[in-house]
Amino acid sequence: MPFGEIVCGSPGSGKSTYCYGKYQLFTALNRPISVVNLDPANDALPYPCAIDISSLITLNDVMEKHGLGPNGGMLYCMEYLEANYDWLEDRLKELGDDAYVLFDLPGQVELSTNHESMKNIVEKLTKSSFRLAAVHLCDAHYITDASKYVSVLLLSLRAMLQLELPHINVLSKVDLLSKYGDLDFNLDFYTEVQDLSYLENTLNAALSPRFAALNMAMISLIEDYSLVGFETLAVEDKNSMLNLTRVIDRATGYVFVPPSNSNQPPGTIEAHDAGPSIRPNTYALFSSAIGQMQGPGSNIRDVQERWIDAKEEYDAFEKKEWRKEGEMVRDEAARAGKIRERKAPTAESSDMQL
């Protein structure tokens, strides 16, 4: 059964960067992954692309042929993809039944909030046995402003209601939060979407008082649904990527079984005749789609300490550890080179043996 993620979000939220980072992570873990580009305007892909919509249609061609602007042209492209879904379906079948696919969507938010073509494409994917989760990326700098935070909440809620998938909202670029100024509340207030009435004074101070009733109405709408929550992501941090991957695996029900040639952790009982489907799955990095979340990055207070409260100290510590690791690799390479020199016969020794 193929699994996948619908990666959506506004322009600049880091969708392509996330796809590339996840491709690198999964490749290092020997875990299958393929990336599908569904943005007909994206001609500078940072990741190896398994399927590219530009081989079917491009935004520039649509704009020139039909005299449309960028927004109208993008909607036309998605409607064209929906009408030619068999093109996408045939190429997805080539990836195999065990594929894990990232669908990199365009940054035009109406595609995932109120336009029907993407919703219909997602429905067709699920009917073809794909197990999908929507990963909605939001730039973390929006939480530094109360009005922008409320707008992000409304956008996330609308995407959740539109796509009708297991949904994970993500505050991306959380490692840059310290550059945007101090937060009015701790990070868990924003990720857990706690009592939003605390934002009333901030909203009324920043906006005209005549909008006070509208502000509270939007806040009440968000709280009435009680659906929105956020995970955090620093795409260059391994622990952050692993934590988000575990969250997504829990949402889709994906369980990663390590390959048969992978090494078991020390202290475990060796099962010589057990194949990859029989060996206990606790040996995998992503051991289960259920159970309590553990590990670095799973506690939001640890995330705040790492990226906001003590970012400089953590950065200095990591650089020190990386330096040590680099020196160890260099020393091991030097020792290995010396051992090879000792074992390699010299020209004089070869002549003596003759």
Side-chain angles (χ1 to χ4, degrees):
M1 175 182 293
F3 286 74
E5 302 173 25
I6 304 295
V7 184
C8 56
S10 56
S13 58
K15 298 183 296 299
S16 296
T17 303
Y18 166 74
C19 291
Y20 183 42
K22 196 149 194 176
Y23 176 86
Q24 291 178 309
L25 176 67
F26 277 26
T27 301
L29 296 174
N30 198 20
R31 178 170 166 174
I33 188 170
S34 301
V35 186
V36 175
N37 174 45
L38 294 183
D39 185 356
N42 192 352
D43 55 359
L45 299 174
Y47 48 76
C49 191
I51 304 173
D52 191 352
I53 192 177
S54 63
S55 61
L56 175 69
I57 190 172
T58 64
L59 180 61
N60 288 333
D61 292 342
V62 170
M63 292 170 61
E64 292 177 3
K65 182 177 180 179
H66 299 283
L68 297 172
N71 292 340
M74 188 65 71
L75 297 180
Y76 181 94
C77 290
M78 291 300 105
E79 292 171 358
Y80 188 84
L81 176 61
E82 179 189 0
N84 295 272
Y85 175 77
D86 55 341
W87 173 88
L88 177 62
E89 185 178 32
D90 292 341
R91 280 149 185 80
L92 288 173
K93 289 180 180 178
E94 295 174 0
L95 301 180
D97 294 334
D98 297 328
Y100 191 97
V101 184
L102 302 183
F103 295 91
D104 187 8
L105 265 58
Q108 197 166 343
V109 294
E110 56 261 43
L111 295 176
S112 57
T113 57
N114 52 33
H115 194 257
E116 292 298 319
S117 289
M118 184 53 62
K119 179 180 180 180
N120 294 336
I121 292 172
V122 168
E123 289 179 353
K124 291 179 180 180
L125 287 171
T126 54
K127 288 180 180 178
S128 62
S129 75
F130 257 95
R131 293 287 297 272
L132 297 172
V135 180
H136 185 226
L137 299 182
C138 306
D139 197 318
H141 89 269
Y142 287 127
I143 70 175
T144 60
D145 183 277
S147 59
K148 293 180 180 179
Y149 176 57
V150 173
S151 68
V152 164
L153 291 174
L154 290 171
L155 179 66
S156 301
L157 177 60
R158 188 67 190 91
M160 296 175 75
L161 298 176
Q162 174 75 2
L163 295 177
E164 297 180 340
L165 289 173
H167 201 100
I168 296 94
N169 296 303
V170 182
L171 293 176
S172 62
K173 306 179 186 179
V174 72
D175 50 321
L176 303 179
L177 263 179
S178 59
K179 299 181 179 180
Y180 300 134
D182 297 332
L183 299 177
D184 294 326
F185 306 96
N186 287 335
L187 190 58
D188 59 351
F189 174 86
Y190 301 97
T191 57
E192 298 172 9
V193 191
Q194 299 175 9
D195 189 354
L196 297 179
S197 62
Y198 287 105
L199 297 175
E200 181 178 4
N201 293 334
T202 305
L203 289 171
N204 293 339
L207 303 173
S208 173
R210 63 179 177 175
F211 295 127
L214 178 60
N215 293 334
M216 295 311 299
M218 291 189 294
I219 286 175
S220 297
L221 175 65
I222 296 167
E223 292 182 332
D224 287 344
Y225 276 97
S226 189
L227 290 175
V228 185
F230 291 97
E231 299 294 330
T232 59
L233 174 64
V235 73
E236 295 183 355
D237 183 72
K238 179 182 68 175
N239 292 327
S240 181
M241 286 289 289
L242 287 173
N243 179 70
L244 180 57
T245 299
R246 294 188 189 103
V247 173
I248 297 171
D249 287 344
R250 285 162 59 96
T252 59
Y254 186 94
V255 177
F256 174 65
V257 179
S260 57
N261 59 353
S262 62
N263 296 324
Q264 292 186 212
T268 58
I269 299 175
E270 182 70 31
H272 297 284
D273 300 328
S277 61
I278 301 176
R279 292 172 55 190
N281 194 48
T282 53
Y283 299 154
L285 281 175
F286 312 123
S287 60
S288 178
I290 60 175
Q292 185 177 2
M293 294 291 296
Q294 297 179 349
S298 60
N299 190 320
I300 192 61
R301 292 169 179 82
D302 293 339
V303 176
Q304 172 158 339
E305 182 180 5
R306 169 64 184 91
W307 299 113
I308 300 176
D309 296 339
K311 182 178 184 300
E312 295 181 357
E313 291 82 351
Y314 272 92
D315 287 345
F317 174 78
E318 285 188 351
K319 289 181 180 179
K320 183 178 178 181
E321 293 299 312
W322 291 340
R323 190 179 299 111
K324 288 182 180 179
E325 183 178 351
E327 292 174 353
M328 290 175 58
V329 172
R330 183 190 61 193
D331 293 342
E332 289 179 0
R335 285 196 294 269
K338 290 181 179 179
I339 292 174
R340 286 195 296 269
E341 289 177 0
R342 294 196 197 100
K343 291 183 177 180
T346 62
E348 294 181 357
S349 63
S350 300
D351 292 340
M352 291 177 64
Q353 291 176 359
L354 292 174

